[in-house]
């Protein structure tokens, strides 16, 4: 058995889209179940009252990372065929700041605002509207910023290649950072929710 | 022990294991498996198989020409891409692609085949007989008038393929044969490679 399944032709584009649909439904369902359909809960992380988002996201990262590492080691998965988005350092840094600003102001990130919207929350709908307006605005100004958008290209960079460390060592370091982060998050929550 | 502690322990064990192992890919190139593939003739495809697959167009194949550029530009199999061995190893050709390698006779292609197999390419083949085989089987197949019924069937197939690939079937008669030259020289240009663009469209982010 070889993964990524799509890359090895186990199913075609149409089937991939159907599978993506169900994965998307599952993703939305669990986001909602984790309480991520509430802007109040999400915004809580910026006041250090509720760091669930941080914990969930970091848990997802280390679960996926350990899964990919070991599946590759056991020969189920070809990591070279897993898509790595190329890094454009400055544009992505600016993009991240805009993203963060929107998150702090609206209380949602793109995925969670969809969850909030479909569970009937008005602020979710407004956020969704803002997101599409932003996409439209970006599309309109893209020709003027295209050069900058493609600047400071670093190619398909990973942390391991950037620091020239073995993948396994980098995996361990990220696990350690995550666990320390979880511990720190618990402490922050205890102090700030009083 | 609470669930959190169990999960933390699992993460630490898997993380520490990863640090000890270092690389997520095991260096277990199974040379005997490669040898077995050669012995059982699963390392090559025949010119007819290639021609039929290309004509049907159902399967995406990456054809790599490993000859020199002069030979390549005088004639190459339609859609083939010129590459040296080194370029092939560092190219964007991916493990999941079906790759057919050919050289004039087959030596270079066989060497490239072994290298790609060691890089864990699952679906890589050499063209049996190389370009010489392609010329003999597809471009200029010899049609004998005294062939048996079974042979005739195969010859008809070859003739059809030969015409499709703009070759000239050689019909043996008492008159001397024409000199073997492809009827049409493929224009001097790299084959269009829409692969990457198409893949990008599919993959998204």
């Amino acid at each position: 058995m070889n993964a990524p399944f799509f890359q090895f032709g186990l199913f075609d584009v149409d089937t991939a889209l159907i599978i993506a649909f169900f994965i998307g439904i599952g993703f939305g369902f669990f986001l909602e179940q984790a309480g991520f359909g509430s802007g109040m809960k999400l915004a809580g992380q910026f006041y250090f009252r509720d760091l669930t988002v941080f914990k969930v996201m970091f848990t997802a990262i280390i679960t996926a990372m350990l899964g990919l590492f070991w599946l590759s080691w056991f020969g189920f998965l070809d990591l070279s065929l897993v898509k790595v988005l190329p890094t454009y350092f400055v544009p992505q840094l600016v993009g991240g700041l805009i993203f963060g600003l929107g998150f702090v102001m609206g209380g949602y990130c793109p995925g969670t605002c969809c969850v909030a919207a479909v569970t009937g929350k008005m602020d979710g709908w407004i956020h969704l509207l803002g997101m599409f307006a932003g996409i439209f605005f970006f599309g309109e100004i893209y020709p003027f910023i295209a050069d900058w958008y493609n600047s400071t290209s670093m190619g398909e960079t990973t942390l391991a290649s950037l620091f020239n460390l073995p993948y396994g060592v980098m995996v361990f370091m990220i696990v350690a950072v995550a666990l320390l982060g979880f511990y720190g998050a618990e402490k922050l929550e205890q102090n700030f929710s009083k | 022990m609470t669930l959190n502690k169990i999960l933390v322990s699992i993460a630490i064990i898997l993380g520490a294991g990863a640090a000890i192992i270092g690389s997520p890919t095991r260096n277990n190139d199974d040379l005997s498996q490669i040898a077995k593939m050669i012995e059982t003739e699963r390392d090559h495809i025949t010119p007819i198989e290639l021609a039929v697959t290309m004509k049907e167009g159902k399967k995406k194949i990456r054809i790599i020409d490993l000859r020199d550029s002069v030979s390549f530009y005088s004639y190459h199999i339609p859609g083939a891409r010129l590459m040296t061995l080194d370029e092939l190893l560092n190219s964007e050709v991916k493990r999941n692609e079906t790759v057919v390698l050919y050289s004039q006779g087959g030596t270079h292609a066989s060497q490239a085949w072994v290298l790609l197999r060691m890089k864990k390419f699952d679906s890589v083949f050499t063209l049996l007989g190389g370009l010489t085989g392609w010329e003999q089987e597809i471009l200029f197949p010899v049609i004998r008038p005294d062939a048996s019924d079974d042979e005739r069937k195969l010859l008809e197939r070859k003739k059809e393929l030969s015409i499709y690939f703009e070759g000239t079937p050689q019909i043996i008669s008492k008159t001397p044969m024409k000199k073997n030259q492809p009827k049409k020289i493929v224009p001097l240009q790299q084959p269009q490679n829409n692969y990457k663009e198409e893949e990008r469209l599919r993959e998204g982010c």
Side-chain angles (χ1 to χ4, degrees):
Chain A
M1 191 166 65
N2 262 328
F5 297 143
F6 178 71
Q7 298 281 22
F8 282 99
L10 206 73
F11 40 75
D12 57 12
V13 182
D14 296 342
T15 319
L17 288 173
I18 293 167
I19 293 169
F21 176 77
F22 285 107
I23 292 174
I25 296 280
F27 183 58
F29 176 80
F30 286 107
L31 280 181
E32 207 281 329
Q33 289 297 297
F36 289 3
S38 158
M40 294 297 284
K41 186 176 179 72
L42 292 166
Q45 69 177 324
F46 299 113
Y47 302 96
F48 304 120
R49 284 196 303 259
D50 186 341
L51 288 153
T52 312
V53 177
F54 167 78
K55 287 185 271 189
V56 167
M57 289 304 165
F58 233 137
T59 304
I61 288 168
I62 60 169
T63 305
M65 182 182 66
L66 288 169
L68 289 175
F69 183 94
W70 286 102
L71 285 174
S72 168
W73 193 76
F74 282 114
F76 287 117
L77 175 84
D78 184 347
L79 275 180
S80 69
L81 292 173
V82 175
K83 180 92 180 163
V84 178
L85 280 181
T87 302
Y88 297 93
F89 191 75
V90 174
Q92 285 175 351
L93 193 70
V94 174
L97 287 171
I98 296 172
F99 181 97
L101 202 65
F103 203 161
V104 173
M105 285 165 64
Y108 294 111
C109 65
T112 50
C113 87
C114 294
V115 171
V118 296
T119 49
K121 295 197 176 65
M122 186 49 78
D123 58 348
W125 282 107
I126 301 290
H127 206 98
L128 200 61
L129 201 68
M131 188 169 83
F132 281 109
I135 292 169
F136 177 76
F137 178 69
F138 174 80
E140 287 300 306
I141 64 161
Y142 179 75
F144 305 104
I145 60 164
D147 285 344
W148 175 79
Y149 181 80
N150 291 308
S151 66
T152 54
S153 168
M154 291 165 69
E156 294 181 359
T157 307
T158 59
L159 284 174
S161 66
L162 187 67
F163 294 111
N164 202 18
L165 282 171
Y167 265 95
V169 174
M170 186 47 77
V171 164
F172 180 69
M173 283 166 67
I174 293 171
V175 169
V177 168
L179 294 179
L180 287 173
F182 295 155
Y183 179 76
E186 298 273 315
K187 291 282 163 207
L188 278 174
E189 281 174 346
Q190 281 167 16
N191 289 338
F192 282 85
S193 57
K194 277 172 192 168
Chain B
M1 210 180 204
T2 63
L3 181 63
N4 275 355
K5 280 183 183 163
I6 294 169
L7 293 174
V8 165
S9 310
I10 292 172
I12 291 173
I13 291 166
L14 291 178
I20 294 163
I21 289 165
S23 167
T25 47
R26 273 193 289 183
N27 191 21
N28 61 346
D29 293 329
D30 194 349
L31 293 178
S32 69
Q33 200 190 340
I34 294 178
K36 214 167 269 173
M37 285 200 75
I38 299 170
E39 278 168 15
T40 52
E41 303 197 341
R42 282 181 291 151
D43 60 333
H44 62 248
I45 64 168
T46 64
I48 293 179
E49 284 168 340
L50 176 64
V52 169
T53 316
M54 284 170 73
K55 191 174 172 223
E56 284 173 351
K58 284 181 191 162
K59 199 173 173 186
K60 195 152 56 184
I61 307 178
R62 173 91 75 164
I63 305 170
I64 310 288
D65 188 320
L66 294 154
R67 298 171 305 149
D68 59 75
S69 60
V70 177
S71 313
F72 177 81
Y73 288 123
S74 68
Y75 178 78
H76 57 256
I77 296 176
R81 217 175 135 188
L82 177 68
M83 275 191 201
T84 62
L85 280 178
D86 190 44
E87 281 167 351
L88 175 63
L89 289 178
N90 298 304
S91 70
E92 78 282 14
V93 180
K94 293 258 161 89
R95 262 192 60 206
N96 57 331
E97 293 182 56
T98 300
V99 183
V100 175
L101 308 159
Y102 74 88
S103 48
Q104 190 61 45
T107 312
H108 262 84
S110 304
Q111 289 162 340
W113 182 87
V114 173
L115 292 174
L116 289 187
R117 282 297 312 182
M118 289 182 79
K119 278 188 84 181
K120 300 210 176 279
F121 278 65
D122 288 332
S123 189
V124 54
F125 305 93
T126 59
L127 178 64
L128 190 65
L131 193 72
T132 310
W134 176 264
E135 285 171 352
Q136 286 170 358
E137 296 283 326
I138 305 299
L139 292 181
F140 313 112
V142 178
I143 314 282
R144 286 183 291 113
D146 58 338
S148 67
D149 278 357
D150 279 356
E151 281 174 335
R152 197 173 288 277
K153 231 177 195 176
L154 180 65
L155 289 174
E156 275 306 309
R157 190 90 182 101
K158 282 187 184 177
K159 194 175 158 189
E160 199 182 294
L161 289 168
S162 179
I163 292 163
Y164 180 81
F165 285 99
E166 300 180 334
T168 320
Q170 307 288 295
I171 296 155
I172 290 184
S173 61
K174 283 175 184 171
T175 52
M177 278 194 327
K178 281 183 200 167
K179 197 184 169 208
N180 282 4
Q181 268 298 322
K183 206 168 159 188
K184 190 180 167 188
I185 302 294
V186 177
L188 298 179
Q189 60 177 31
Q190 281 279 350
Q192 274 199 334
N193 182 18
N194 297 327
Y195 173 78
K196 212 161 183 189
E197 207 48 45
E198 194 186 320
E199 283 299 296
R200 274 190 168 194
L201 288 173
R202 277 186 190 177
E203 283 173 353
C205 57

